[in-house]
Amino acid sequence: MDTKVSTPRSYDSQYDLDVGDLVEKERIHRRVFADQDVFEQEMDQIFGKSWIYVGHESQVPNPGDYFSTQVGRQPVVMTRHKNGEIYVLENRCPHKGALVCPDRNGTAKHFMCMYHGWRFDGDGSLISVPVQSGYDGTEFNVKDPKNGMRQLPRVHNHHGFVFASLSPEGLDFKTWAGEGLRGLDNLIDRSPSGELEVIGNCYRTVQNSNWKIFLDNMSDGMHTSFVHHQMARAAQRTLEKFKGRARPGGLDVAAMLAGEPDQMAKIDLVAHPHGHFDMAAFAPELTGEDGEHYKAALIARHGADKAAAVLKQNFHNVMMFPTLVMQQSLQQMRVLRPISVDKTALEIWVFRFKGAPDSFTRRAITGGNLANSPSNVVAADDFEAYFRVHQGLKGPQSEWISLHREANRDVQVGEGSFKGATGNSEVCMRNMYKAWREYMTAEKTRREI
């Protein structure tokens, strides 16, 4: 009789883990979400190499303005230099590694490290060090760019939207973005002036779940009838009080979620290369006098035919893997910042279309409050669902997660793009994990020591 006790396989290092077997055509292993070693590899292989959204140029409108955030594990600061150019810098002093800009945003003529007083310009170059004579006769050179706040190796400004990569190599921005630019460009095209600006600060929450669970949900229409049922019924009752009057932004969308499980079946879901996808909008457009003024302004900018095409291309969610989800119809953008294997920071930024009626801005802010503020009545339902999913995946017994829904009905609609047979398809999730596997099994780059 064999008395040997089997034990889980151990790994000497995170690079010994073979992640290729964790993603199959129609299912994925729970370790994709719940394994610490997998998360460590993601931060190197995905967030350390891909293009990551940093911020919008309207957040640093004037020379000296800065905005600090995170690209993967790396704290960064986006600056507007005195020459008007935007830079993305490592937010660390090259002397001892201290964070230089602890504040979320602000204005500074120069940056100074609080630890030893090293001073830097808006492009990251080192201006001065105290008691510089102490470095006489050494290899230290104040003019050497390596002794400044280093600029990230690749930065791309797409009509005001700033992306960066921690890796000097990889796909160029436009190749990586591909069809994902349809959503980003549509957001820009919807502004009568062609300009947008961030309204205030963002709504920020920390979810107790893995970052990919949120992205799964962004193309999942099936959950709405169950997760949001009570909230949607309440929204319907509230709307009855606004008959013949202007409705608060977001209530129409909330009320539409009270239907049957197949209510999203008519919504188009299209998956694109590199993990991106788009979901057609189900939010009604603003009508009435302001709506007509808005359409007239778009026609003045684009001409009648293109204005009609811009409005027809109406997306609810457009995801640019791995961090960015846009909601054009709600003038919002959601940005993911993974914290750990089971914690994810979510930022929701609301935009103003310059040249659009003020009612559009009010609708965007009200919709943001309804769905994303600390006291929201929509996302709170989702967060509880995400938490339950992650808790269930922590147990080792049930290993596989199903992505089978309508898996044999995907329709190719372009080079590398596939449309779900219905809006209930899991085509976008399957596509995302295909891209995830490609990132994770690419040649691994060890972090410098």
Side-chain angles (χ1 to χ4, degrees):
M1 181 177 178
D2 189 357
T3 58
K4 291 182 179 179
V5 177
S6 62
T7 57
R9 180 182 174 187
S10 61
Y11 301 95
D12 294 330
S13 103
Q14 66 187 47
Y15 295 101
D16 293 330
L17 177 62
D18 182 6
V19 297
D21 295 333
L22 300 182
V23 173
E24 297 183 356
K25 185 177 180 181
E26 298 178 9
R27 65 177 190 170
I28 53 177
H29 198 277
R30 69 167 191 88
R31 293 176 65 187
V32 170
F33 300 96
D35 192 292
Q36 181 64 36
D37 285 344
V38 170
F39 178 79
E40 294 297 328
Q41 285 203 41
E42 287 176 333
M43 299 310 290
D44 287 338
Q45 293 295 104
I46 300 177
F47 290 89
K49 294 184 177 181
S50 184
W51 288 94
I52 306 299
Y53 178 69
V54 178
H56 190 263
E57 64 181 12
S58 65
Q59 294 172 267
V60 287
N62 303 307
D65 290 346
Y66 66 88
F67 168 73
S68 60
T69 184
Q70 198 92 359
V71 173
R73 291 188 177 95
Q74 179 62 51
V76 301
V77 57
M78 179 173 70
T79 71
R80 174 84 70 169
H81 192 34
K82 56 191 174 186
N83 62 5
E85 295 295 317
I86 291 177
Y87 293 88
V88 181
L89 315 173
E90 291 184 5
N91 190 0
R92 63 180 296 273
C93 179
H95 180 212
K96 297 293 185 181
L99 204 66
V100 176
C101 299
D103 297 330
R104 182 69 165 172
N105 60 277
T107 302
K109 184 176 180 181
H110 300 117
F111 298 120
M112 186 179 78
C113 177
M114 59 84 67
Y115 197 11
H116 294 95
W118 287 32
R119 295 170 67 241
F120 308 91
D121 216 337
D123 62 353
S125 57
L126 179 61
I127 297 174
S128 65
V129 298
V131 196
Q132 190 171 331
S133 60
Y135 295 93
D136 290 347
T138 72
E139 296 180 357
F140 179 83
N141 181 357
V142 70
K143 296 182 180 180
D144 188 340
K146 293 181 180 178
N147 292 322
M149 294 172 65
R150 290 194 297 184
Q151 299 175 13
L152 264 61
R154 291 191 295 163
V155 175
H156 184 86
N157 186 336
H158 185 77
H159 303 295
F161 293 89
V162 179
F163 294 77
S165 175
L166 297 175
S167 173
E169 300 176 348
L171 295 175
D172 63 89
F173 175 80
K174 288 191 176 180
T175 301
W176 165 81
E179 290 297 320
L181 288 178
R182 294 200 307 165
L184 196 57
D185 290 341
N186 182 256
L187 184 65
I188 298 164
D189 287 342
R190 282 172 171 265
S191 171
S193 66
E195 297 183 40
L196 302 91
E197 64 179 0
V198 169
I199 301 174
N201 207 331
C202 67
Y203 305 98
R204 187 178 296 107
T205 60
V206 174
Q207 304 168 11
N208 295 312
S209 53
N210 186 267
W211 62 279
K212 297 180 294 299
I213 297 173
F214 170 83
L215 293 183
D216 277 2
N217 194 65
M218 292 299 96
S219 66
D220 187 338
M222 182 71 78
H223 81 282
T224 57
S225 300
F226 303 97
V227 174
H228 300 303
H229 179 73
Q230 295 298 331
M231 176 279 302
R233 292 290 298 276
Q236 285 181 330
R237 292 192 295 269
T238 303
L239 278 177
E240 293 175 359
K241 301 177 181 179
F242 287 90
K243 289 182 178 179
R245 294 185 292 150
R247 301 175 174 184
L251 268 182
D252 291 282
V253 178
M256 292 173 69
L257 301 179
E260 296 300 318
D262 63 349
Q263 65 178 341
M264 298 293 186
K266 296 180 181 180
I267 299 297
D268 285 343
L269 289 174
V270 185
H272 304 295
H274 311 306
H276 312 319
F277 78 78
D278 52 67
M279 169 192 275
F282 51 87
E285 286 296 309
L286 188 67
T287 57
E289 185 176 351
D290 280 351
E292 294 306 314
H293 285 316
Y294 172 67
K295 292 175 183 177
L298 281 189
I299 291 172
R301 178 191 171 195
H302 296 299
D305 290 343
K306 184 175 179 180
V310 167
L311 293 176
K312 183 179 180 180
Q313 197 175 41
N314 193 12
F315 300 112
H316 179 64
N317 282 332
V318 174
M319 194 264 283
M320 298 179 74
F321 184 76
T323 60
L324 186 62
V325 179
M326 292 162 284
Q327 292 187 299
Q328 284 85 328
S329 59
L330 302 178
Q331 297 172 218
Q332 295 181 24
M333 176 178 286
R334 305 180 188 188
V335 184
L336 283 180
R337 311 284 184 193
I339 299 172
S340 64
V341 68
D342 59 356
K343 286 192 183 296
T344 305
L346 176 65
E347 304 169 352
I348 297 92
W349 299 91
V350 180
F351 288 84
R352 181 172 79 89
F353 292 154
K354 290 186 177 181
D358 290 341
S359 60
F360 275 56
T361 302
R362 290 194 298 270
R363 180 184 67 158
I365 294 173
T366 304
N369 288 333
L370 177 70
N372 297 301
S373 71
S375 58
N376 79 84
V377 295
V378 180
D381 295 336
D382 291 314
F383 294 168
E384 176 64 19
Y386 306 159
F387 173 73
R388 294 190 190 189
V389 169
H390 193 97
Q391 290 300 108
L393 293 175
K394 289 167 66 175
Q397 296 304 111
S398 298
E399 297 187 70
W400 293 96
I401 299 164
S402 169
L403 296 179
H404 295 82
R405 196 163 64 229
E406 299 185 9
N408 59 342
R409 307 177 204 172
D410 299 343
V411 180
Q412 187 163 355
V413 292
E415 186 175 352
S417 295
F418 292 86
K419 181 179 177 181
T422 76
N424 287 334
S425 173
E426 291 173 329
V427 60
C428 298
M429 300 177 209
R430 290 187 290 271
N431 180 69
M432 186 179 85
Y433 291 107
K434 178 176 179 288
W436 182 91
R437 187 181 186 278
E438 291 170 353
Y439 273 111
M440 295 289 280
T441 57
E443 182 180 354
K444 294 178 172 57
T445 303
R446 293 180 182 271
R447 294 190 297 273
E448 293 183 2
I449 299 175

